[in-house]
Amino acid sequence: MVRRIDVTGAGGVRLAAWEFGEPPKAGPDGAVSGPGEARGDAQGGARKGAQDEAEAASGQPLATARAETSAPHAPSGTGPEGRARGVLLLHGLMGRASHWASTARWLSERHRAVALDQRGHGQSEKPPQAAYTREAYVEDAEAALEQLGLAPAVVIGHAMGALTAWQLAARRPDLVRGVAICDMRASALGAASQREWENWFKTWPVPFATLADVRKWFGEDDPWVERPNPARGEFYAEVMHEGPDGWRPVFEPQQMLVSRETWAYDAHWEELAQVPCPALVVRGLDGELGRAEAQEMVRVLPQGQYAEVADAGHLVHYDQPEAWRAAIEPFLDTLLAG
C-alpha cells in the first residue's frame, strides 16, 4: 500500500509525502502489529490526466491523510521507545518520490519509509513565486521529519536530494541519525554547467505523442545519452503527465533551473565537514561523481563511509536496484538496528 500524507513546507508550500507499507493494526489488547508486505508502489508514475493526481503510480487508489501532522507508526524494527525507525527518501532534481519505490518497499518491511515529493516536483505544489532555494529545500525536509514523526531518521538522498540530506544533517543533527549520499558532488559545477542544462531543456521535443516516445528519446535519442539506456527512459517517463496536446513533464523546467542555480555555483565541502552522524557516500561507476572526489568526501565527513555500484550511472538506485540495496543495506542495518 502507498499512502499520501500532506506536509506543510517552508512558506506554506504543500508537499506530498508517500508512505510505503501497510499501517499497523491494533489488536484486541491495543498492541500494534507490524505491517504486512507492501502490495503497491509508486513505480510507473506517469498516468493520464486527473488519474495522475488521484492515484499512486501503481494504479491503486490512495488513502490520503490531510492533517499536517501524523502519529508515527510502529512496524517491526522499532526502537527502544516502541517507535518505528524512520527513513526519509529525497529524490534528485526533476525526480519524484515514486523513483524510490523499490528502495522504499524493502525498507518498509522493517522500518517506516517515507518518500517526499519536493517542492516543484511530483504532486507537491509548484507555485511560481515560491522560494526554490537551498534553504527552502532543507526547511521542507526538516518539516517533513518533524510533522511525520520520523526523527531521528536516516535520510537517503539522490543527487540534489543528497545535498539536502547532508545540509539538513549539519543544520539539525537532532533530527538525523545517518545520511546516505547517492551520486552527488560537493564541488562547484559552475556557469558552463548551468548553460548546458538551459540548452538541454530546449532540445526536448515536447510535447511527446506517447510515453513510448518519451522512453525512446530519453533512453536513446537524447544527445546526452552515450549508449542506449532503457532505465533512463523509464525514469523520465515517470515524470510525465498527459495533457490535451500530449505528454509533458510534471515540473516546470524554469523552476528546475532556478533550483539548480542555487547550488551549482557553490562548493559544499564546509557543510559536508559539519555532518556529525554516520554518512555513506555511494557512486555509480559510470555516474557523475568520480571516485577521487567521492573518496575525498568520505575523508572530509567526520564519520564517512564509501560504496560503489558497478554497471550503474547517475541513476544508481534506478539502474541497479538490487546492487544498490546490497551497497547500502549493511550501513542502514547498523543505524536502524535495535
Side-chain angles (χ1 to χ4, degrees), residues 205-219:
V206 292
F208 294 93
T210 68
L211 280 180
D213 292 331
V214 174
R215 296 185 183 99
K216 184 175 185 302
W217 196 83
F218 286 100

Side-chain angles (χ1 to χ4, degrees), residues 244-255:
D245 60 348
W247 294 83
R248 295 178 180 272
V250 297
F251 52 78
E252 293 294 333
Q254 186 57 39
Q255 290 179 355

Side-chain angles (χ1 to χ4, degrees), residues 53-78:
E53 296 301 318
E55 296 180 358
S58 60
Q60 299 297 322
L62 292 174
T64 303
R66 292 294 180 185
E68 293 185 0
T69 59
S70 174
H73 298 315
S76 56
T78 57

Side-chain angles (χ1 to χ4, degrees), residues 9-11 13 15 88 90-95 116-121 124-126 130-144 160-161 163-165 167-168 171 251-252 254-263:
V13 174
L15 307 171
L88 181 67
L90 300 175
H91 60 73
L93 191 71
M94 302 184 295
L116 182 68
D117 275 338
Q118 297 176 81
R119 60 177 54 213
H121 296 75
S124 289
E125 281 191 318
K126 306 167 181 66
Y132 291 93
T133 64
R134 279 288 82 220
E135 291 75 16
Y137 279 107
V138 173
E139 288 175 10
D140 288 348
E142 182 179 345
M160 181 190 73
L163 175 59
T164 299
Q167 288 180 326
L168 175 62
R171 171 175 168 167
F251 52 78
E252 293 294 333
Q254 186 57 39
Q255 290 179 355
M256 299 299 98
L257 290 171
V258 170
S259 297
R260 190 176 188 273
E261 71 183 5
T262 64
W263 50 264

Side-chain angles (χ1 to χ4, degrees), residues 86 96 187 322:
R96 65 188 304 173
S187 299
E322 294 302 322

Side-chain angles (χ1 to χ4, degrees), residues 52-281:
D52 184 59
E53 296 301 318
E55 296 180 358
S58 60
Q60 299 297 322
L62 292 174
T64 303
R66 292 294 180 185
E68 293 185 0
T69 59
S70 174
H73 298 315
S76 56
T78 57
E81 301 84 10
R83 296 178 56 195
R85 297 297 195 189
V87 182
L88 181 67
L89 299 142
L90 300 175
H91 60 73
L93 191 71
M94 302 184 295
R96 65 188 304 173
S98 62
H99 286 138
W100 287 115
S102 175
T103 298
R105 277 201 306 271
W106 60 262
L107 281 170
S108 69
E109 295 170 4
R110 292 184 293 164
H111 313 294
R112 187 180 178 210
V114 180
L116 182 68
D117 275 338
Q118 297 176 81
R119 60 177 54 213
H121 296 75
Q123 293 187 29
S124 289
E125 281 191 318
K126 306 167 181 66
Q129 302 305 317
Y132 291 93
T133 64
R134 279 288 82 220
E135 291 75 16
Y137 279 107
V138 173
E139 288 175 10
D140 288 348
E142 182 179 345
L145 289 178
E146 292 181 328
Q147 294 174 31
L148 297 170
L150 290 173
V154 173
V155 184
I156 302 174
H158 173 245
M160 181 190 73
L163 175 59
T164 299
W166 87 62
Q167 288 180 326
L168 175 62
R171 171 175 168 167
R172 289 293 307 273
D174 57 310
L175 297 180
V176 183
R177 71 169 70 242
V179 174
I181 298 166
C182 180
D183 215 63
M184 179 61 186
R185 299 180 61 183
S187 299
L189 302 179
S193 173
Q194 190 69 3
R195 287 194 299 270
E196 287 177 359
W197 273 70
E198 292 175 5
N199 293 331
W200 178 55
F201 276 128
K202 294 175 184 177
T203 68
W204 290 24
V206 292
F208 294 93
T210 68
L211 280 180
D213 292 331
V214 174
R215 296 185 183 99
K216 184 175 185 302
W217 196 83
F218 286 100
E220 300 178 23
D221 300 337
D222 182 350
W224 281 15
V225 175
E226 296 181 357
R227 58 181 181 273
N229 187 340
R232 188 175 188 269
E234 290 293 343
F235 182 95
Y236 282 98
E238 208 162 329
V239 297
M240 298 288 164
H241 70 112
E242 189 178 31
D245 60 348
W247 294 83
R248 295 178 180 272
V250 297
F251 52 78
E252 293 294 333
Q254 186 57 39
Q255 290 179 355
M256 299 299 98
L257 290 171
V258 170
S259 297
R260 190 176 188 273
E261 71 183 5
T262 64
W263 50 264
Y265 298 138
D266 300 316
H268 306 282
W269 295 98
E270 182 176 349
E271 294 154 304
L272 205 67
Q274 295 170 358
V275 174
C277 61
L280 178 69
V281 178

